[in-house]
Coordinates of all heavy atoms in Angstrom, one line a residue:
M1 N -33.0 -76.9 40.2 CA -31.7 -76.4 40.0 C -31.4 -76.4 38.5 O -30.7 -75.6 37.9 CB -30.7 -77.2 40.8 CG -29.3 -76.5 40.8 SD -29.4 -75.0 41.7 CE -27.7 -74.7 42.0
T2 N -31.9 -77.5 37.8 CA -31.6 -77.6 36.3 C -32.4 -76.4 35.6 O -31.9 -76.0 34.6 CB -32.1 -78.9 35.7 OG1 -33.5 -79.1 36.0 CG2 -31.3 -80.0 36.4
G3 N -33.4 -75.9 36.1 CA -34.2 -74.8 35.4 C -33.3 -73.6 35.4 O -33.3 -72.8 34.5
V4 N -32.6 -73.3 36.5 CA -31.6 -72.2 36.6 C -30.5 -72.4 35.6 O -30.1 -71.4 34.9 CB -31.1 -72.0 38.0 CG1 -30.1 -70.9 38.1 CG2 -32.3 -71.7 39.0
R5 N -30.0 -73.5 35.5 CA -28.9 -73.8 34.6 C -29.3 -73.6 33.1 O -28.6 -73.0 32.3 CB -28.3 -75.2 34.8 CG -27.5 -75.4 36.0 CD -27.0 -76.8 36.1 NE -26.4 -77.0 37.4 CZ -26.2 -78.2 37.9 NH1 -26.7 -79.3 37.3 NH2 -25.7 -78.3 39.1
E6 N -30.5 -74.1 32.8 CA -31.0 -73.9 31.5 C -31.3 -72.4 31.2 O -31.0 -72.0 30.1 CB -32.3 -74.7 31.3 CG -32.2 -76.2 31.3 CD -33.5 -76.9 31.2 OE1 -34.5 -76.3 31.0 OE2 -33.5 -78.1 31.4
W7 N -31.8 -71.7 32.1 CA -32.0 -70.3 32.0 C -30.7 -69.5 31.7 O -30.7 -68.6 30.9 CB -32.8 -69.7 33.2 CG -33.0 -68.2 33.1 CD1 -34.0 -67.6 32.4 CD2 -32.3 -67.2 33.7 NE1 -33.9 -66.2 32.5 CE2 -32.8 -66.0 33.3 CE3 -31.1 -67.2 34.5 CZ2 -32.4 -64.7 33.7 CZ3 -30.6 -65.9 34.9 CH2 -31.2 -64.8 34.5
L8 N -29.7 -69.9 32.5 CA -28.4 -69.2 32.3 C -27.8 -69.5 31.0 O -27.2 -68.6 30.4 CB -27.4 -69.6 33.5 CG -27.7 -69.0 34.9 CD1 -26.8 -69.6 35.9 CD2 -27.5 -67.5 34.8
Q9 N -27.9 -70.7 30.6 CA -27.4 -71.1 29.2 C -28.1 -70.4 28.1 O -27.5 -69.9 27.2 CB -27.5 -72.6 29.1 CG -27.0 -73.1 27.7 CD -25.4 -73.0 27.6 OE1 -24.7 -73.0 28.6 NE2 -25.0 -72.9 26.4
T10 N -29.4 -70.3 28.2 CA -30.2 -69.5 27.2 C -29.8 -68.1 27.2 O -29.6 -67.5 26.2 CB -31.7 -69.7 27.5 OG1 -32.0 -71.1 27.5 CG2 -32.5 -69.0 26.4
A11 N -29.7 -67.5 28.4 CA -29.3 -66.1 28.5 C -27.9 -65.8 27.9 O -27.6 -64.8 27.2 CB -29.3 -65.6 29.9
R12 N -27.0 -66.8 28.1 CA -25.6 -66.6 27.6 C -25.6 -66.7 26.0 O -25.0 -66.0 25.4 CB -24.7 -67.8 28.2 CG -23.3 -67.6 27.8 CD -22.4 -68.6 28.5 NE -22.5 -68.5 30.0 CZ -22.8 -69.5 30.8 NH1 -23.0 -70.7 30.3 NH2 -22.9 -69.3 32.1
E13 N -26.4 -67.6 25.5 CA -26.5 -67.8 24.0 C -27.1 -66.6 23.4 O -26.7 -66.1 22.4 CB -27.3 -69.0 23.7 CG -26.6 -70.3 24.0 CD -27.5 -71.5 23.8 OE1 -28.6 -71.4 23.4 OE2 -27.0 -72.6 24.1
E14 N -28.2 -66.0 24.1 CA -28.9 -64.8 23.5 C -27.9 -63.6 23.6 O -27.9 -62.8 22.7 CB -30.1 -64.5 24.3 CG -31.2 -65.5 24.1 CD -32.4 -65.2 24.9 OE1 -32.4 -64.3 25.7 OE2 -33.4 -66.0 24.8
R15 N -27.1 -63.5 24.6 CA -26.2 -62.4 24.7 C -25.1 -62.4 23.6 O -24.8 -61.5 22.9 CB -25.5 -62.5 26.1 CG -24.6 -61.2 26.3 CD -24.0 -61.2 27.7 NE -24.9 -61.6 28.7 CZ -24.6 -62.6 29.6 NH1 -23.5 -63.3 29.5 NH2 -25.4 -62.9 30.6
W16 N -24.6 -63.6 23.3 CA -23.6 -63.8 22.2 C -24.3 -63.5 20.9 O -23.7 -63.0 20.0 CB -23.0 -65.1 22.3 CG -21.9 -65.2 23.3 CD1 -21.9 -65.9 24.4 CD2 -20.6 -64.5 23.3 NE1 -20.8 -65.7 25.2 CE2 -19.9 -64.8 24.5 CE3 -20.0 -63.6 22.4 CZ2 -18.7 -64.3 24.8 CZ3 -18.7 -63.1 22.7 CH2 -18.1 -63.5 23.9
G17 N -25.5 -63.9 20.7 CA -26.2 -63.7 19.5 C -26.5 -62.2 19.3 O -26.3 -61.7 18.1
M18 N -26.8 -61.4 20.3 CA -27.0 -60.0 20.1 C -25.7 -59.3 19.9 O -25.6 -58.4 19.1 CB -27.7 -59.4 21.4 CG -29.1 -59.8 21.6 SD -30.0 -58.9 22.9 CE -29.1 -59.4 24.3
L19 N -24.6 -59.8 20.5 CA -23.3 -59.2 20.2 C -22.8 -59.5 18.8 O -22.3 -58.5 18.1 CB -22.2 -59.8 21.2 CG -20.8 -59.2 21.1 CD1 -20.8 -57.7 21.4 CD2 -19.9 -60.0 22.0
T20 N -23.1 -60.7 18.3 CA -22.8 -61.0 16.9 C -23.6 -60.1 16.0 O -23.0 -59.5 15.0 CB -23.1 -62.4 16.6 OG1 -22.4 -63.3 17.5 CG2 -22.7 -62.8 15.2
D21 N -24.8 -59.9 16.2 CA -25.7 -59.0 15.4 C -25.1 -57.6 15.4 O -25.1 -56.9 14.3 CB -27.1 -58.9 16.0 CG -27.8 -60.3 15.9 OD1 -27.3 -61.2 15.2 OD2 -28.9 -60.4 16.5
L22 N -24.8 -57.1 16.6 CA -24.2 -55.7 16.7 C -22.9 -55.6 15.9 O -22.7 -54.6 15.1 CB -24.0 -55.3 18.1 CG -23.4 -53.9 18.4 CD1 -24.4 -52.9 17.9 CD2 -23.1 -53.7 19.9
V23 N -22.0 -56.5 16.1 CA -20.8 -56.5 15.4 C -20.9 -56.5 13.9 O -20.3 -55.8 13.1 CB -19.8 -57.6 15.8 CG1 -18.6 -57.7 14.9 CG2 -19.4 -57.4 17.3
F24 N -21.8 -57.4 13.4 CA -22.1 -57.5 12.0 C -22.7 -56.1 11.4 O -22.2 -55.7 10.4 CB -23.1 -58.6 11.6 CG -23.5 -58.7 10.2 CD1 -22.7 -59.4 9.4 CD2 -24.6 -58.0 9.7 CE1 -22.9 -59.5 8.0 CE2 -24.8 -58.1 8.3 CZ -24.0 -58.8 7.5
A25 N -23.6 -55.5 12.1 CA -24.2 -54.3 11.7 C -23.1 -53.2 11.6 O -23.0 -52.4 10.7 CB -25.3 -53.9 12.6
I26 N -22.3 -53.1 12.6 CA -21.2 -52.1 12.7 C -20.2 -52.3 11.5 O -19.9 -51.3 10.8 CB -20.5 -52.1 14.0 CG1 -21.4 -51.5 15.1 CG2 -19.2 -51.2 14.0 CD1 -20.9 -51.7 16.5
V27 N -19.8 -53.5 11.3 CA -18.8 -53.7 10.3 C -19.5 -53.5 8.9 O -18.8 -52.9 8.0 CB -18.3 -55.2 10.3 CG1 -17.6 -55.7 9.1 CG2 -17.5 -55.4 11.6
W28 N -20.7 -53.9 8.7 CA -21.4 -53.7 7.3 C -21.5 -52.2 7.0 O -21.2 -51.8 6.0 CB -22.7 -54.4 7.3 CG -23.3 -54.4 6.0 CD1 -24.2 -53.4 5.5 CD2 -23.1 -55.2 4.9 NE1 -24.5 -53.7 4.2 CE2 -23.9 -54.8 3.8 CE3 -22.3 -56.3 4.7 CZ2 -23.8 -55.4 2.6 CZ3 -22.3 -57.0 3.5 CH2 -23.1 -56.5 2.4
V29 N -22.1 -51.5 8.0 CA -22.3 -50.0 7.8 C -21.0 -49.3 7.6 O -20.9 -48.4 6.7 CB -23.2 -49.5 8.9 CG1 -23.3 -48.0 8.8 CG2 -24.6 -50.1 8.9
T30 N -20.0 -49.6 8.4 CA -18.8 -48.9 8.2 C -18.1 -49.2 6.9 O -17.6 -48.4 6.3 CB -17.8 -49.4 9.4 OG1 -18.4 -49.1 10.6 CG2 -16.5 -48.6 9.3
G31 N -18.2 -50.5 6.5 CA -17.6 -50.9 5.2 C -18.2 -50.2 4.1 O -17.6 -49.7 3.2
V32 N -19.6 -50.2 4.0 CA -20.3 -49.6 3.0 C -20.0 -48.0 3.0 O -19.8 -47.5 1.9 CB -21.8 -49.9 3.1 CG1 -22.6 -48.9 2.1 CG2 -22.1 -51.3 2.8
D33 N -20.0 -47.5 4.1 CA -19.7 -46.0 4.2 C -18.3 -45.7 3.7 O -18.2 -44.7 2.9 CB -19.9 -45.6 5.6 CG -19.9 -44.0 5.7 OD1 -20.7 -43.4 5.1 OD2 -19.0 -43.5 6.5
L34 N -17.4 -46.5 4.1 CA -16.0 -46.2 3.6 C -15.9 -46.4 2.1 O -15.2 -45.6 1.4 CB -15.0 -47.1 4.3 CG -14.7 -46.8 5.8 CD1 -13.8 -47.9 6.4 CD2 -14.1 -45.5 6.0
I35 N -16.5 -47.4 1.5 CA -16.4 -47.6 0.1 C -17.0 -46.5 -0.6 O -16.5 -46.0 -1.6 CB -17.2 -49.0 -0.3 CG1 -16.3 -50.1 0.2 CG2 -17.4 -49.0 -1.7 CD1 -17.0 -51.5 0.1
F36 N -18.2 -46.0 -0.1 CA -18.8 -44.9 -0.9 C -18.2 -43.6 -0.6 O -18.4 -42.6 -1.4 CB -20.3 -44.9 -0.6 CG -21.1 -45.8 -1.4 CD1 -21.2 -47.2 -1.1 CD2 -21.6 -45.4 -2.6 CE1 -21.9 -48.1 -1.9 CE2 -22.3 -46.3 -3.4 CZ -22.4 -47.6 -3.1
R37 N -17.4 -43.4 0.5 CA -16.7 -42.1 0.6 C -15.5 -42.1 -0.3 O -15.2 -41.1 -0.9 CB -16.1 -42.0 2.1 CG -17.2 -41.6 3.1 CD -16.6 -41.5 4.4 NE -17.6 -41.3 5.4 CZ -17.7 -40.3 6.1 NH1 -16.9 -39.3 6.0 NH2 -18.7 -40.2 7.0
V38 N -14.9 -43.3 -0.6 CA -13.7 -43.3 -1.5 C -14.2 -43.3 -3.0 O -13.7 -42.5 -3.8 CB -13.0 -44.7 -1.3 CG1 -11.9 -44.9 -2.4 CG2 -12.3 -44.6 0.1
L39 N -15.3 -44.0 -3.3 CA -15.7 -44.0 -4.7 C -16.7 -42.9 -5.1 O -16.9 -42.6 -6.2 CB -16.4 -45.4 -5.0 CG -15.5 -46.6 -4.9 CD1 -16.3 -47.8 -5.1 CD2 -14.3 -46.5 -5.8
D40 N -17.3 -42.2 -4.1 CA -18.3 -41.2 -4.3 C -19.4 -41.6 -5.2 O -19.6 -41.0 -6.3 CB -17.5 -39.9 -4.8 CG -18.4 -38.7 -4.6 OD1 -19.3 -38.7 -3.7 OD2 -18.3 -37.8 -5.4
G41 N -20.0 -42.7 -4.8 CA -21.1 -43.3 -5.7 C -22.4 -42.6 -5.5 O -22.5 -41.7 -4.6
P42 N -23.4 -42.9 -6.3 CA -24.7 -42.3 -6.2 C -25.4 -42.7 -4.9 O -25.2 -43.8 -4.4 CB -25.4 -42.8 -7.4 CG -24.7 -44.0 -7.9 CD -23.3 -43.9 -7.4
D43 N -26.3 -41.9 -4.5 CA -27.1 -42.1 -3.3 C -27.9 -43.4 -3.3 O -28.0 -44.2 -2.4 CB -28.0 -41.0 -2.9 CG -27.2 -39.8 -2.4 OD1 -26.0 -40.0 -2.0 OD2 -27.8 -38.7 -2.4
W44 N -28.5 -43.7 -4.5 CA -29.4 -44.9 -4.6 C -28.6 -46.1 -4.5 O -29.0 -47.1 -3.9 CB -30.1 -44.9 -5.9 CG -29.2 -44.9 -7.2 CD1 -28.8 -43.9 -7.9 CD2 -28.7 -46.1 -7.8 NE1 -28.0 -44.3 -9.0 CE2 -28.0 -45.7 -8.9 CE3 -28.9 -47.5 -7.5 CZ2 -27.3 -46.6 -9.7 CZ3 -28.2 -48.3 -8.4 CH2 -27.4 -47.9 -9.4
A45 N -27.3 -46.2 -5.0 CA -26.5 -47.3 -4.8 C -26.0 -47.5 -3.3 O -26.0 -48.6 -2.8 CB -25.3 -47.2 -5.7
Y46 N -25.8 -46.4 -2.7 CA -25.5 -46.4 -1.2 C -26.6 -47.1 -0.5 O -26.3 -48.0 0.3 CB -25.2 -45.0 -0.8 CG -24.9 -44.9 0.7 CD1 -23.7 -45.2 1.2 CD2 -26.0 -44.5 1.6 CE1 -23.4 -45.0 2.6 CE2 -25.7 -44.3 3.0 CZ -24.4 -44.6 3.4 OH -24.2 -44.5 4.8
Y47 N -27.8 -46.6 -0.7 CA -29.0 -47.2 0.1 C -29.2 -48.6 -0.3 O -29.6 -49.4 0.5 CB -30.2 -46.3 -0.1 CG -30.0 -45.0 0.5 CD1 -30.1 -43.8 -0.3 CD2 -29.8 -44.8 1.8 CE1 -29.9 -42.5 0.3 CE2 -29.6 -43.6 2.4 CZ -29.7 -42.4 1.6 OH -29.5 -41.2 2.3
M48 N -29.0 -49.0 -1.6 CA -29.1 -50.4 -1.9 C -28.1 -51.3 -1.2 O -28.5 -52.4 -0.8 CB -29.0 -50.5 -3.5 CG -30.3 -50.0 -4.2 SD -30.2 -50.3 -6.0 CE -30.3 -52.1 -6.1
F49 N -26.9 -50.8 -1.2 CA -25.9 -51.6 -0.4 C -26.3 -51.7 1.1 O -26.0 -52.8 1.7 CB -24.5 -51.0 -0.6 CG -23.8 -51.5 -1.8 CD1 -23.9 -50.9 -3.0 CD2 -23.0 -52.7 -1.7 CE1 -23.2 -51.4 -4.1 CE2 -22.3 -53.2 -2.8 CZ -22.4 -52.6 -4.0
M50 N -26.7 -50.6 1.6 CA -27.2 -50.7 3.0 C -28.3 -51.7 3.2 O -28.3 -52.5 4.1 CB -27.7 -49.4 3.5 CG -26.5 -48.4 3.7 SD -25.5 -49.0 5.1 CE -24.4 -47.6 5.2
A51 N -29.3 -51.7 2.3 CA -30.4 -52.7 2.3 C -29.9 -54.1 2.1 O -30.4 -55.1 2.6 CB -31.4 -52.3 1.3
A52 N -28.8 -54.3 1.2 CA -28.2 -55.6 1.0 C -27.7 -56.2 2.2 O -27.5 -57.4 2.3 CB -27.2 -55.5 -0.1
G53 N -27.4 -55.3 3.2 CA -26.9 -55.9 4.5 C -27.9 -56.8 5.2 O -27.5 -57.7 5.9
I54 N -29.2 -56.5 5.0 CA -30.2 -57.4 5.5 C -30.1 -58.8 5.0 O -30.1 -59.8 5.7 CB -31.6 -56.8 5.3 CG1 -31.7 -55.4 5.9 CG2 -32.7 -57.7 5.8 CD1 -33.0 -54.6 5.5
V55 N -30.0 -58.9 3.6 CA -29.8 -60.2 3.0 C -28.5 -60.8 3.4 O -28.5 -62.0 3.7 CB -29.9 -60.0 1.4 CG1 -29.6 -61.3 0.8 CG2 -31.2 -59.4 1.0
A56 N -27.4 -60.0 3.5 CA -26.2 -60.6 3.9 C -26.2 -61.1 5.3 O -25.6 -62.2 5.7 CB -25.1 -59.6 3.8
Y57 N -27.0 -60.4 6.2 CA -27.1 -60.8 7.6 C -27.8 -62.2 7.7 O -27.4 -63.1 8.4 CB -27.9 -59.8 8.4 CG -28.3 -60.3 9.8 CD1 -27.3 -60.4 10.8 CD2 -29.5 -60.8 10.0 CE1 -27.6 -60.9 12.0 CE2 -29.9 -61.3 11.3 CZ -28.9 -61.4 12.3 OH -29.2 -61.8 13.5
F58 N -28.9 -62.3 7.0 CA -29.6 -63.6 7.0 C -28.8 -64.8 6.4 O -28.9 -65.9 6.8 CB -31.0 -63.5 6.4 CG -32.0 -62.8 7.3 CD1 -32.4 -61.5 7.0 CD2 -32.4 -63.4 8.4 CE1 -33.3 -60.8 7.9 CE2 -33.3 -62.8 9.3 CZ -33.7 -61.5 9.0
G59 N -28.0 -64.4 5.4 CA -27.1 -65.4 4.8 C -26.1 -65.8 5.8 O -25.8 -67.0 5.9
L60 N -25.6 -64.9 6.6 CA -24.6 -65.3 7.6 C -25.3 -66.2 8.7 O -24.6 -67.2 9.1 CB -24.0 -64.0 8.3 CG -23.2 -64.2 9.5 CD1 -21.8 -64.8 9.1 CD2 -23.0 -62.9 10.3
V61 N -26.4 -65.8 9.1 CA -27.1 -66.6 10.2 C -27.4 -68.0 9.6 O -27.2 -69.0 10.3 CB -28.4 -65.8 10.6 CG1 -29.3 -66.8 11.5 CG2 -28.1 -64.6 11.3
W62 N -27.9 -68.1 8.4 CA -28.2 -69.4 7.8 C -26.9 -70.2 7.7 O -27.0 -71.4 8.0 CB -28.8 -69.2 6.4 CG -29.1 -70.5 5.7 CD1 -30.1 -71.4 6.0 CD2 -28.3 -71.0 4.7 NE1 -30.0 -72.4 5.1 CE2 -28.9 -72.3 4.3 CE3 -27.1 -70.6 4.0 CZ2 -28.4 -73.0 3.3 CZ3 -26.6 -71.4 3.0 CH2 -27.2 -72.6 2.7
S63 N -25.8 -69.6 7.3 CA -24.6 -70.4 7.1 C -24.0 -70.9 8.4 O -23.5 -72.0 8.6 CB -23.5 -69.7 6.3 OG -23.1 -68.5 7.0
V64 N -24.2 -70.1 9.5 CA -23.8 -70.5 10.9 C -24.6 -71.7 11.3 O -24.1 -72.6 11.9 CB -23.8 -69.3 11.8 CG1 -23.7 -69.8 13.2 CG2 -22.7 -68.3 11.5
E65 N -25.9 -71.6 11.1 CA -26.8 -72.7 11.5 C -26.4 -74.0 10.8 O -26.4 -75.1 11.4 CB -28.3 -72.3 11.3 CG -28.8 -71.3 12.2 CD -30.2 -70.8 11.9 OE1 -30.8 -71.4 10.9 OE2 -30.7 -70.0 12.6
V66 N -26.2 -73.9 9.5 CA -25.8 -75.1 8.7 C -24.5 -75.7 9.3 O -24.3 -76.9 9.4 CB -25.7 -74.8 7.2 CG1 -25.0 -75.9 6.4 CG2 -27.0 -74.4 6.7
A67 N -23.5 -74.8 9.6 CA -22.3 -75.2 10.1 C -22.4 -75.9 11.5 O -21.8 -76.9 11.7 CB -21.3 -74.1 10.2
K68 N -23.3 -75.4 12.3 CA -23.5 -76.0 13.6 C -24.2 -77.4 13.5 O -23.9 -78.3 14.2 CB -24.4 -75.1 14.5 CG -23.7 -73.9 15.1 CD -24.6 -73.1 15.9 CE -23.9 -71.9 16.5 NZ -24.8 -71.1 17.4
E69 N -25.1 -77.5 12.5 CA -25.7 -78.8 12.3 C -24.8 -79.9 11.8 O -25.0 -81.0 12.1 CB -26.9 -78.6 11.3 CG -28.1 -77.9 11.8 CD -29.1 -77.7 10.8 OE1 -29.0 -78.2 9.6 OE2 -30.2 -77.0 11.0
K70 N -23.8 -79.5 11.0 CA -22.8 -80.4 10.5 C -21.9 -80.9 11.6 O -21.2 -82.0 11.4 CB -22.0 -79.8 9.4 CG -22.9 -79.7 8.1 CD -22.1 -79.2 6.9 CE -22.9 -79.2 5.7 NZ -22.1 -78.7 4.5
Q71 N -21.7 -80.2 12.7 CA -20.7 -80.6 13.7 C -21.3 -81.8 14.5 O -22.2 -82.1 14.9 CB -20.5 -79.5 14.6 CG -19.5 -78.5 14.0 CD -19.2 -77.3 15.0 OE1 -19.8 -77.2 16.1 NE2 -18.2 -76.6 14.7

């Protein structure tokens, strides 16, 4: 019975992790797109900001892990 509980807990954590990933991606892409629609910046800067989302994502994940360890 404990195996089922552990499996359910892991599935629940993975689901919230995927939802967090999706929300971050939507917010980042929407934010960059809105900024570049307003400022009408160059294409290379647009793509650099999109790529910077990868670094920002890992920074978010790292800071969440650090915060969880401190609790």
